[in-house]
């Protein structure tokens, strides 16, 4: 008798899962299905699983395809299961290609082609339906986003929109997407929501069109380069009762949320100063980041992160904002920029650079002590709360899984499905960030109120 084993979460069981189980079953005579436990899913960074273990086991049993259902509790269990059940073949979807090659020393390993563009009609009527997301843009961040989406239950990345057919074809092939579109209206008809991963200067046009077509929008940061444009998008979304989120990944990360809560708890006293730095050297001047007509430059590229921590803790109404910048004569983009903000009772400095390198830390100073978040603080997973008496130092760790894009995606789909409004990045905060960036762009082009190094 040939024994096959496969594993999965099997949340909101859909055709993709059933197809997989059917084909796994056909590989042999006896099919064992491992269903992941809640704690195992949390441990491997899979978020937003909406059904309980019991319900998911029932899902699998209801297919009638499994001869035995077991629970997967820990990393490494696959090896012991294969030995214990004398398994001949381990089967899993092609989204895991290569990942389980290490099992080849114990049994045959088969990757079965994943079902593209799963049908969600079965689930539409349920409270937690699967949200079909279309990707706009086929660059680096779009790729990362698709990979991260595999760790979020309840989303289906259905298709991609772009302009260059060759690039789109390759993108779909590499990322196992079914469809691409070069016609935006056709693309919009296929989906519930869009993820916009285009150069900054194009965000507004595509986001507005998507909202007007009744689609929810998750837009890479900065959402737009102007206060008015950001405001218009929020207004349309509000009138149409749609969700629009600015994808500043840090804002949605669990450890960053803790950092903000602890800083606000009074543990370091009154917050008087924030210094946050993010530099990322980009050596290829042909890239978007060095193209000023596409909105390139240090502040547009990276400013959202330090401005996020500043606005979360000090608010949206500084009395004064000034800028110091170093401009690249060749491309006219800012290689490094410092934004100084003076609030009623506090100061803040945001430092960003794509052509000058600096330690990327964040320090929040108060009347009783300070919090230091070491680089890369924007992928927050650790911070220290320090006082005059070093013995009182507190160290806080909390994991930041993968590239962190999964967190914003979870909040986004929860907002769509459950109407949960996020406090993690409010419209007011996004508007403030847009206005600080816009003011810099205006000052830079008028050569006013700006110190050039
Ligand atoms: N699957 C598929 N087509 C889809 C969606 C999923 O073929 N459209 C497959 C997956 O590749 C996997 C199985 O269905 O083989 C279960 O998918 P999930 O519930 O998403 O579980 P997953 O996170 O892939 O678990 O130990 C757990 C396993 O490593 C994988």
């Amino acid at each position: 008798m040939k024994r096959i084993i496969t594993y999965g979460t099997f949340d909101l069981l859909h055709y993709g899962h059933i197809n997989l189980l059917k084909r796994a079953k056909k590989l042999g005579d006896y099919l064992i299905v491992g269903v992941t436990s809640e704690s195992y899913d949390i441990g491997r960074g899979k978020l937003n699983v909406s059904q309980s273990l019991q319900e998911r086991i029932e899902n699998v049993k209801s297919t009638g395809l499994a001869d035995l259902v077991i629970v997967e509790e820990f990393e490494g269990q696959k090896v012991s299961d294969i030995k214990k059940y004398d398994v001949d073949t381990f089967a899993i979807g092609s989204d895991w290609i290569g990942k389980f090659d290490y099992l080849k020393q114990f049994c045959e390993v088969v990757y079965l082609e994943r079902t593209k563009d799963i049908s969600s009609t079965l689930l539409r009527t349920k409270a937690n339906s699967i949200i079909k997301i279309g990707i706009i843009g086929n660059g680096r961040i779009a790729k990362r986003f698709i990979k991260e989406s595999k760790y979020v239950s309840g989303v289906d990345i259905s298709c991609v929109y772009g302009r260059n057919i060759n690039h789109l074809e390759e993108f779909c092939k590499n990322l196992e997407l079914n469809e691409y579109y070069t016609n935006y209206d056709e693309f919009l008809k296929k989906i519930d929501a869009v993820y916009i991963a285009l150069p900054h200067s194009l965000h507004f046009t595509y986001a507005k069109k998507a909202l007007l077509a009744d689609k929810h929008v998750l837009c890479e940061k900065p959402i737009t380069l102007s206060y008015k444009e950001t405001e218009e998008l929020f207004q349309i979304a509000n009138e149409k009762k749609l969700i629009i989120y600015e994808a500043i990944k840090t804002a949605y990360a669990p450890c960053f949320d803790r950092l903000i809560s602890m800083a606000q708890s009074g543990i370091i006293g009154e917050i008087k100063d924030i210094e946050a730095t993010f530099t990322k050297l980009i050596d290829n001047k042909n890239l978007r980041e060095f193209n000023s007509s596409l909105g390139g430059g240090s502040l547009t590229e990276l400013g959202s992160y330090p401005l996020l921590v500043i606005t979360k803790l000090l608010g949206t109404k500084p009395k004064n904002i000034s800028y110091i910048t170093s401009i690249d004569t060749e491309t006219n983009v800012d290689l490094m920029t410092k934004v100084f903000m003076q609030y009623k009772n506090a100061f803040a400095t945001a430092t960003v650079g794509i052509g000058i390198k600096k330690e990327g830390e964040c320090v929040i100073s108060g009347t009783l002590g300070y919090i230091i978040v070491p680089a890369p603080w924007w992928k927050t997973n650790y911070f220290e709360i320090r006082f005059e008496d070093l013995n009182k130092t507190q160290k806080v760790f909390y994991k930041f899984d993968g590239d962190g894009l999964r967190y914003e995606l979870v909040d986004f789909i929860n907002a769509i499905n459950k109407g949960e409004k996020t406090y993690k990045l409010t419209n007011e905060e996004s508007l403030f960030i847009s206005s600080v960036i816009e003011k810099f762009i205006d000052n830079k082009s008028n050569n006013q109120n700006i110190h050039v190094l």
Side-chain angles (χ1 to χ4, degrees):
M1 184 162 73
K2 193 171 174 193
R3 289 165 175 263
I4 315 297
I5 198 161
T6 189
Y7 295 85
T9 308
F10 302 105
D11 190 31
L12 303 169
L13 192 82
H14 56 64
Y15 295 152
H17 298 137
I18 298 170
N19 259 339
L20 187 287
L21 293 175
K22 273 188 188 157
R23 284 171 298 150
K25 174 97 179 176
K26 275 198 188 140
L27 294 174
D29 314 295
Y30 188 83
L31 178 66
I32 305 168
V33 181
V35 180
T36 54
S37 69
E38 275 106 357
S39 61
Y40 178 55
D41 272 332
I42 291 168
R44 71 186 179 118
K46 183 145 188 172
L47 304 177
N48 210 38
V49 175
S50 52
Q51 292 184 304
S52 67
L53 174 61
Q54 207 55 45
E55 286 172 297
R56 292 181 288 112
I57 289 176
E58 285 310 316
N59 287 348
V60 172
K61 283 190 174 163
S62 70
T63 65
L65 294 162
D67 296 287
L68 176 67
V69 178
I70 57 172
V71 177
E72 185 179 27
E73 309 256 19
F74 60 92
E75 189 73 47
Q77 187 183 318
K78 291 183 178 80
V79 174
S80 33
D81 287 344
I82 288 168
K83 291 181 191 162
K84 182 171 160 191
Y85 297 106
D86 198 14
V87 166
D88 300 285
T89 304
F90 167 85
I92 196 100
S94 53
D95 40 334
W96 295 102
I97 268 181
K99 183 88 199 310
F100 293 109
D101 285 357
Y102 70 93
L103 296 174
K104 284 182 182 164
Q105 51 186 317
F106 307 107
C107 68
E108 180 193 20
V109 172
V110 175
Y111 297 101
L112 296 167
E113 199 187 334
R114 201 168 180 274
T115 308
K116 293 169 182 160
D117 193 21
I118 58 142
S119 165
S120 51
T121 43
L122 252 183
L123 305 146
R124 280 270 163 251
T125 52
K126 295 192 179 169
N128 293 307
S129 56
I130 290 185
I131 305 291
K132 280 173 156 260
I133 299 187
I135 307 284
I136 306 177
N138 50 14
R140 292 160 287 164
I141 184 88
K143 256 183 219 157
R144 251 184 273 157
F145 183 81
I146 295 174
K147 288 191 175 147
E148 283 279 306
S149 72
K150 302 228 155 58
Y151 292 89
V152 180
S153 189
V155 281
D156 177 34
I157 307 293
S158 312
C159 49
V160 56
Y161 165 81
R163 284 183 308 183
N164 182 318
I165 292 190
N166 292 338
H167 290 169
L168 289 170
E169 265 175 10
E170 199 181 317
F171 188 82
C172 284
K173 201 172 128 226
N174 290 340
L175 293 150
E176 300 196 296
L177 289 187
N178 213 15
E179 287 178 311
Y180 63 80
Y181 291 87
T182 50
N183 177 320
Y184 195 49
D185 296 322
E186 290 302 312
F187 163 81
L188 288 174
K189 282 184 200 152
K190 296 284 177 175
I191 49 176
D192 306 313
V194 296
Y195 169 63
I196 302 179
L198 291 171
H200 319 314
S201 55
L202 303 174
H203 289 177
F204 175 70
T205 314
Y206 283 89
K208 185 173 172 182
K209 267 195 156 183
L211 290 170
L212 291 175
D214 292 315
K215 308 299 168 188
H216 304 285
V217 173
L218 178 61
C219 184
E220 259 311 317
K221 42 97 202 134
I223 182 163
T224 79
L225 299 175
S226 111
Y227 183 94
K228 271 208 160 126
E229 287 182 353
T230 303
E231 193 180 38
E232 187 178 338
L233 294 180
F234 287 157
Q235 262 165 11
I236 301 172
N238 192 30
E239 278 158 21
K240 288 184 154 272
K241 300 211 175 345
L242 292 164
I243 304 297
I244 178 163
Y245 272 18
E246 182 175 12
I248 306 179
K249 63 173 183 279
T250 312
Y252 306 91
C255 193
F256 183 78
D257 191 34
R258 278 193 181 190
L259 168 74
I260 297 300
S261 305
M262 289 199 83
Q264 285 171 333
S265 73
I267 192 165
I268 56 165
E270 247 182 87
I271 297 170
K272 291 292 185 188
D273 181 53
I274 299 175
E275 284 187 15
T277 301
F278 187 166
T279 65
K280 183 170 93 181
L281 280 187
I282 294 172
D283 48 17
N284 181 353
K285 289 199 176 172
N286 295 319
L287 290 176
R288 167 181 63 77
E289 289 88 339
F290 273 97
N291 186 331
S292 69
S293 60
L294 287 178
S298 299
L299 195 67
T300 45
E301 191 56 33
L302 304 172
S304 310
Y305 296 100
L307 294 174
L308 167 77
V309 64
I310 293 168
T311 183
K312 291 230 74 89
L313 293 173
L314 298 178
T316 55
K317 295 189 172 57
K319 289 199 313 190
N320 186 33
I321 304 180
S322 59
Y323 305 86
I324 289 184
T325 191
S326 167
I327 308 282
D328 182 34
T329 44
E330 201 183 319
T331 58
N332 195 33
V333 305
D334 54 314
L335 295 172
M336 177 180 264
T337 293
K338 281 173 179 277
V339 186
F340 298 101
M341 284 187 256
Q342 197 189 336
Y343 284 82
K344 190 162 169 252
N345 293 310
F347 303 109
T349 314
T351 306
V352 284
I354 57 171
I356 298 171
K357 193 68 193 163
K358 192 178 187 304
E359 181 65 21
E361 59 185 14
C362 171
V363 184
I364 302 161
S365 305
T367 49
L368 300 176
Y370 66 96
I371 302 178
I372 179 158
V373 199
W377 67 266
W378 51 94
K379 294 184 180 174
T380 328
N381 63 3
Y382 171 66
F383 56 91
E384 284 189 19
I385 307 171
R386 294 187 190 158
F387 303 92
E388 196 59 47
D389 178 357
L390 283 177
N391 292 321
K392 290 189 177 156
T393 299
Q394 291 183 27
K395 299 181 181 196
V396 179
F397 295 85
Y398 203 80
K399 64 192 185 123
F400 182 92
D401 284 311
D403 277 319
L405 304 179
R406 62 192 72 180
Y407 302 115
E408 64 199 26
L409 184 52
V410 166
D411 274 34
F412 180 61
I413 62 168
N414 282 347
I416 296 171
N417 272 334
K418 303 178 188 162
E420 276 174 14
K421 249 198 149 191
T422 192
Y423 59 89
K424 292 178 187 160
L425 180 58
T426 64
N427 287 0
E428 206 189 356
E429 289 160 350
S430 279
L431 281 163
F432 172 70
I433 295 172
S434 293
S435 73
V436 176
I437 294 175
E438 178 179 31
K439 196 169 165 204
F440 171 73
I441 297 170
D442 286 352
N443 288 356
K444 184 169 156 263
S445 56
N446 303 329
N447 215 1
Q448 271 179 357
N449 302 323
I450 199 159
H451 298 276
V452 180
L453 291 181

